[in-house]
Amino acid sequence: MGTYLVNSLATTDALAHEFSDESLLQAMLDFETALARAQARLGVIPTSAADAIQASAHAAHFDAARIGREARESGTLAIPLVRALTAHVRAVDASSARFVHWGATSQDVADSALVLALARARPLLSADHTRLDATLRALSDRHAGTVMLGRTLLQPAPPITFGLKVAGWVAALGRGWARLDRAYEAAMVVQLGGASGTLAAFGDRGPAIVRAVAEELDLTAPSGPWHTDRDRLAAVVSSAGVYTATLGKIARDLALLMQHEVGEAAEPGGGSSTLPHKRNPAACAVAIAAFLGGMLQEHERAVGGWHAEWPTVAAAVQATGAALASLADATASATVYPDRMRANIERTNGVIFAERVVMLTASRLGKEGAQAAVSEALARTRETGQSFKDALSAIPDVAGLLSPEELESIDVPEQYLGAAEALRLKLLAEG
Amino acid sequence: MGTYLVNSLATTDALAHEFSDESLLQAMLDFETALARAQARLGVIPTSAADAIQASAHAAHFDAARIGREARESGTLAIPLVRALTAHVRAVDASSARFVHWGATSQDVADSALVLALARARPLLSADHTRLDATLRALSDRHAGTVMLGRTLLQPAPPITFGLKVAGWVAALGRGWARLDRAYEAAMVVQLGGASGTLAAFGDRGPAIVRAVAEELDLTAPSGPWHTDRDRLAAVVSSAGVYTATLGKIARDLALLMQHEVGEAAEPGGGSSTLPHKRNPAACAVAIAAFLGGMLQEHERAVGGWHAEWPTVAAAVQATGAALASLADATASATVYPDRMRANIERTNGVIFAERVVMLTASRLGKEGAQAAVSEALARTRETGQSFKDALSAIPDVAGLLSPEELESIDVPEQYLGAAEALRLKLLAEG
Amino acid sequence: MGTYLVNSLATTDALAHEFSDESLLQAMLDFETALARAQARLGVIPTSAADAIQASAHAAHFDAARIGREARESGTLAIPLVRALTAHVRAVDASSARFVHWGATSQDVADSALVLALARARPLLSADHTRLDATLRALSDRHAGTVMLGRTLLQPAPPITFGLKVAGWVAALGRGWARLDRAYEAAMVVQLGGASGTLAAFGDRGPAIVRAVAEELDLTAPSGPWHTDRDRLAAVVSSAGVYTATLGKIARDLALLMQHEVGEAAEPGGGSSTLPHKRNPAACAVAIAAFLGGMLQEHERAVGGWHAEWPTVAAAVQATGAALASLADATASATVYPDRMRANIERTNGVIFAERVVMLTASRLGKEGAQAAVSEALARTRETGQSFKDALSAIPDVAGLLSPEELESIDVPEQYLGAAEALRLKLLAEG
Amino acid sequence: MGTYLVNSLATTDALAHEFSDESLLQAMLDFETALARAQARLGVIPTSAADAIQASAHAAHFDAARIGREARESGTLAIPLVRALTAHVRAVDASSARFVHWGATSQDVADSALVLALARARPLLSADHTRLDATLRALSDRHAGTVMLGRTLLQPAPPITFGLKVAGWVAALGRGWARLDRAYEAAMVVQLGGASGTLAAFGDRGPAIVRAVAEELDLTAPSGPWHTDRDRLAAVVSSAGVYTATLGKIARDLALLMQHEVGEAAEPGGGSSTLPHKRNPAACAVAIAAFLGGMLQEHERAVGGWHAEWPTVAAAVQATGAALASLADATASATVYPDRMRANIERTNGVIFAERVVMLTASRLGKEGAQAAVSEALARTRETGQSFKDALSAIPDVAGLLSPEELESIDVPEQYLGAAEALRLKLLAEG
């Protein structure tokens, strides 16, 4: 019954493991153990009962497919799991069976287990973010002076540096990670409220039990039960969505730079099943697919039916991790072609510097006068194929307003980078 | 690595099977077999090669986890699967290995396999729709005369019949199913285009091979390759969404009727892990959860990155099926409480018939005059607790305009049902 | 208070008009007129009352801002509008006032008005679809023989024709339009049910009145009231989404072809506020923006709160229309550069024909032998810059297996188009 | 062309004003004024030019409909607006015209204007949040001791207090507002980058100009241009979505409590166009509709086409504000019916206390023994209609294990509230 392949491009092996049947069963069982241990510590149930429960609480003892099937009858995995765990404990130590799940409700188990699975996935995401961030910072530094076309609306614009482009990625990823990490941290709360959320079954020891269970599970104790307040999970999912959108944007940028006609960067790529010559942007495709898949999952936050959350939250976190891992791989081994970047600038014949000429001459010609003169040069370039610089030289109105040095260097990209390096450093500092 | 539980409320066992690792591998292998068989029929490859390929093409021969892992390197499951199949064929019959996947591209396998999985899921959905439809029609007929409160904005309104309410469900489900079925039918097309979609590797036999492969797989041959046109899948997912929304609406209606304070209907329900007295609307919860989960999946249609489609399409279809199966179960064994329905009407003290009085008296009192008189009766009812009929009798302006018979029967629900029965029959005829 | 600019890229003037304050008020008033006229025809209310109501029912008589404000108190535009209309009629003909909105409920007005606005927007969409379809068909015919690179995953693949590419657009648009048109047709139903949907206030004349109102408004009479069944609107919105996704895909393809480095097609484009040289794919940007905006709107279908539908439905239809109009404009005046298409093929040095060589030689070398030989030629091409054909000629293993004619024409795109023209014609026939 | 009504339930007048044509034009013009003023301060352009630009930069001088129409040709509102502004300045002071929009690009104007509109909407949201928070805190305090049914899955569960329920709302709203406020604060950044984002047209004064423009507009200067990084806006929209989901949840809770059969709370409500007796949860309907409408808008964040953002962002913020204002109104004048709350508890016949009996007796009977005994009492209650307490008394097994005091007070809600008051105070402290 395992359904892994259908999702294989939208997860990593390590993340898939954290949301596998075995891991989810174990997370639910870990909650029951923590509940029993906490109650034993506080003298609510006998220590022997906690021992017996803990000894039974191993995923390997239980039949996931059967629990999944029975869950559809009761509307939650918790009911068949608790039933099965109670039976297992009873078989081992009949007197302890009654203390299984003592005072808790189904949603306490289900919600806490989901949070545990999230907690266990967290270091996986974190490690890949750190790796990607380091790779990109090094790439930005290495290409601080590498000029390339700016491209707006997919059309050539004045030059930028590849270092600046990458620094923009670093800063956006940094903001995205900060949001995700904050949302994640806030969601690491145990759920324990009992039938109505008042902890009534625990008498006056409710809050103490909640604190003790949280300690056992290395989670936080919330101000109150959150069974009806799904905003923390919603914030995880939506901030995962925003973060993954940035991953998707970077992957798309790379895939665009890797077009044969552009050829400015390449990831190692995957082969093709048919085409021997082809190097596909496979890692980018995985990252974009995971991002698209992740996007689909963001919408739950506003809905809040807790029965619907498990696949959503699990998928969002795994999609984020898949995009992250693919992109960390792709960037770590990406090749950058500075010569091609410069060649693509040159292939514009210098027309991207038209703005520069307008700015230099407008004070004397007026903006419209300058634009008219420049338009003439642009037309000449288009018609004759000569360079924009040569075309400018042939227009007395313009040439007369520029110094020989200005005219000579009018299409040198390094001279029209504005604050690129200052911005790059500020973006890296922010990221 | 199996990940079934995370999704267990959003599928059924039978549907989960169709999207399991084994089934998806087999669907891809079935495509390769069909391709080889078709090519052998047309004399493109030797029959012995087709035999060898078919003999190797069994899911049990392959390692799903490994193929999933390698898929992340190449961006598609097809590349490692074809590689593994080729190796398997070579081990059996070296000379046939070269004919594996002959002239096809990765997306041909992946897309066709997804369509095959959808085709295999189709009768499962269809059977449950038929079952639900029959249940609801019987329920509507049985309660053609059962009066209950109309409720708009969750407030009491003039009476309807439960039969009419259910007939509305039948009609909406019927429209939804017709849309889904039409979209499904249109999507049952094989994908085979080769590297660029022109079938160039097949010379002039391309279209004939496509037709033959479609025949082998019992699918349709499309006008042209659809590798870049995902609209058919999008239409399946979005019409599954609209259909599931109607399932979700019915489930929510049932859950509202099942509130303790309303008590007009009940599904058998599931127990509670804590509360011995409680009967939860478990099947409704599953249906609503599946609907919410399904909603999340609807958004992909507009995006179209085929790498992201598998989990989306699979989840949408399974969520639809889970909602459908739960609701078919819940309605098949639902209990209806006509006495409680009538009691809830009576508990309004008859104020829901105020409109009726306005309509009867407006022609003489004017609408505003009638409303003023009725408002007086309503106020009296509110203050004294007497019935609206008694309050009316005490207002000469109104009482004088109604015949004794009209006044006497002013709050008889059966007399203010308008066209309920005619509408019920028309809705059932449409559904 | 007019809010048009915020939305100006996501509508057209003509569509914005159909959803303007004046048009929506008028649509609600047209419903009230139709109701009165129908009731007068059937003798339910005096003809003089219908005349008075019709005479008052002009949008210009009413204050949209005030009605909008009051709507927030009652939760619907219908209540303040009916109140204002009643007051207006009373001022003109006091005895007719009581017959305003006779037997109808607020949602009857609101729902029917939305359907009317949709009906009025329909020919606008239809005209632009027809225009776009005709443009693309002509483009496909004109470029039936224009070869260009196939591109998969943004990498070069064996050649296709531009005519085939456009025919794929035509077919997908045709399917999308057929879905949208069918959903639209099914949604053209009047809503009239009265307080609880039973038409109780009309006694036994309910169904006749519904038919008559539908006739007055040139809409269809439904089997029953649909106040709680929003699936028809949901289907309009979601099929608009799928259709707009195809528009978005075409616009993105065009924008990619228009990249300076690709240069194979261009829309007339818009200028830039800063860059004199720049021609932006402005119409494509509008189409893509409208598509993205439209995507946002697709999600409502599954939710069904009728209070939330107006902005959703209106925005979805307008976004569709905006994308459609922009793309119809952009394609009508697009320039195609066949020379550049061929040059881009040549710039690959012929490596995209590697598959062709494999297919030609595999029968004798085996697929792996053929792939090995081809790999050698590819490596040589990469290292020396010589053409793939020359590299092949230098490899005895390969050259010996190809006839001189085969080798000579190995990189002629026209000879490796497979079934392109046949597929093109079939796609156009389907579209 | 004003389109306000279509959206009237999804905004407030004050918010609609901030996104009206006039306000958006003015925001764009304010950016141009700030740019000119900043450049004059730094000596980049003459002060007289800044004066002339500022004097022309009034929305009333410009034709919104025309600018909207022309925007569709260039793909942005900025191009026609800058053109119109330049023409206006030229007519007043020809020599200043050339300094309009000096060195900026279209997206600089559009993005900064959107941020300005958001900044101006901020205090409107903030005031309503403060009002709602204060109302709910007072309500929670007033009903700290008001017992009511807990309800899970819409079924009766052990008692809670209304004060606790409201405290949960307060805490969730507080978390939601903190997220929204943080995202909002982070988004208050000016956009100014010039053609490619390097500020190249400003030579070495780029960063200084950015800082000065930010000061003029009372916004923050970012580390670098964010024209391609939409994550800050995405975070505003998605956190508005999560916050509005909580508003929607509260509104739905209120509407459920306001059902005639439940009757535990009521908002003042709106009337009905047909039903004189009816009080609809109109404010809740507006809040829920705005929430549903808002949900639709949340999805853009992951997409990032800036051309599509204006309607999305504007709609999300307005929907949030509409839900907030409606709910602040509804709760401020809501009526709570403590007697009805207690009566609904009593109508369960005490079966909701079954869990309490299990907890009290399980230590001696074992959990299953206790559940069996309780089940017997529950069955007796169901069959005979006697109270659960009386049924218990009649079962020697159970009665013998409870003290007379325990038995006597077994169904006193105040005695089974667990930590309700402690949790309430902690939730209020967190919120």
Side-chain angles (χ1 to χ4, degrees), chain C residues 109-374:
Chain C
V109 193
D111 283 352
S112 297
L114 181 57
V115 169
L116 276 178
L118 285 175
R120 288 160 186 176
R122 198 177 182 191
L124 300 171
L125 297 176
S126 182
D128 271 339
H129 173 76
T130 302
R131 185 159 66 97
L132 175 60
D133 179 69
T135 297
L136 293 179
R137 284 176 183 278
L139 204 58
S140 178
D141 286 344
R142 200 174 322 127
H143 293 284
T146 304
V147 292
M148 69 185 298
L149 279 178
R151 289 181 177 93
T152 57
L153 291 164
L154 290 179
Q155 295 298 310
I160 60 172
T161 65
F162 188 57
L164 173 60
K165 188 180 191 74
V166 175
W169 297 346
V170 169
L173 279 176
R175 290 192 300 270
W177 182 257
R179 278 183 214 105
L180 178 54
D181 200 51
R182 193 160 44 218
Y184 224 108
E185 182 62 34
M188 297 294 95
V189 284
V190 78
Q191 161 61 20
L192 179 56
S196 286
T198 58
L199 300 160
F202 301 136
D204 55 4
R205 274 171 303 184
I209 293 176
V210 175
R211 280 193 303 275
V213 172
E215 267 172 46
E216 293 281 338
L217 295 171
D218 204 14
L219 298 175
T220 308
S223 306
W226 52 275
H227 51 152
T228 60
D229 300 310
R230 320 306 291 178
D231 59 294
R232 291 183 188 91
L233 290 175
V236 169
V237 174
S238 69
S239 58
V242 178
Y243 177 71
T244 313
T246 297
L247 296 172
K249 185 247 184 297
I250 299 171
R252 201 178 293 277
D253 277 5
L254 273 178
L256 286 169
L257 292 178
M258 193 174 159
Q259 290 173 101
H260 185 256
E261 296 85 353
V262 176
E264 299 185 359
E267 57 144 308
S272 152
S273 72
T274 342
L275 302 175
H277 72 281
K278 217 171 156 213
R279 200 162 66 147
N280 283 321
C284 291
V286 170
I288 294 171
F291 147 61
L292 295 179
M295 254 180 57
L296 311 178
Q297 310 296 343
E298 297 164 26
H299 311 312
E300 172 55 9
R301 71 190 163 294
V303 179
W306 68 273
H307 300 82
E309 281 171 358
W310 279 43
T312 302
V313 175
V317 168
Q318 289 178 86
T320 302
L324 190 49
S326 283
L327 201 58
D329 287 348
T331 52
S333 49
T335 316
V336 179
Y337 301 106
D339 292 350
R340 191 67 183 269
M341 289 173 168
R342 186 174 298 270
N344 281 332
I345 293 176
E346 285 164 5
R347 277 189 58 212
T348 68
N349 262 338
V351 298
I352 55 170
F353 298 99
E355 180 200 44
R356 188 179 186 197
V357 179
V358 172
M359 300 306 285
L360 286 169
T361 60
S363 59
R364 272 171 275 174
L365 286 174
K367 193 150 99 182
E368 300 200 350
Q371 281 178 333
V374 162

Side-chain angles (χ1 to χ4, degrees), chain B residues 20 57 88 104 158 175 229 407 410 425:
Chain B
S20 68
H88 199 278
R175 289 192 300 271
D229 299 309
L407 187 55
I410 198 70
L425 294 173

Side-chain angles (χ1 to χ4, degrees), chain C residues 12-35:
Chain C
T12 65
D13 277 8
L15 284 165
H17 173 73
E18 298 303 344
F19 295 98
S20 68
D21 288 2
E22 192 192 331
S23 296
L24 291 177
L25 278 183
Q26 192 59 53
M28 290 192 284
L29 293 164
D30 289 348
F31 172 83
E32 297 294 350
T33 295
L35 179 65

Side-chain angles (χ1 to χ4, degrees), chain A residues 133-186:
Chain A
D133 179 69
T135 297
L136 294 179
R137 285 176 182 278
L139 205 58
S140 178
D141 286 345
R142 199 174 323 126
H143 293 284
T146 304
V147 291
M148 70 185 296
L149 279 178
R151 288 181 178 93
T152 57
L153 290 164
L154 290 179
Q155 294 299 309
I160 61 172
T161 64
F162 187 58
L164 172 61
K165 188 180 192 75
V166 176
W169 296 346
V170 169
L173 279 176
R175 290 192 299 270
W177 182 257
R179 277 183 216 107
L180 178 54
D181 199 52
R182 194 160 45 218
Y184 224 108
E185 181 63 35

Side-chain angles (χ1 to χ4, degrees), chain B residues 151-152 261 274 278 355, chain D residues 151-152 261 274 278 355:
Chain B
R151 289 181 177 93
T152 57
E261 297 85 353
T274 341
K278 217 171 157 213
E355 181 200 45
Chain D
R151 289 180 177 93
T152 57
E261 296 85 353
T274 342
K278 215 168 157 215
E355 179 200 44

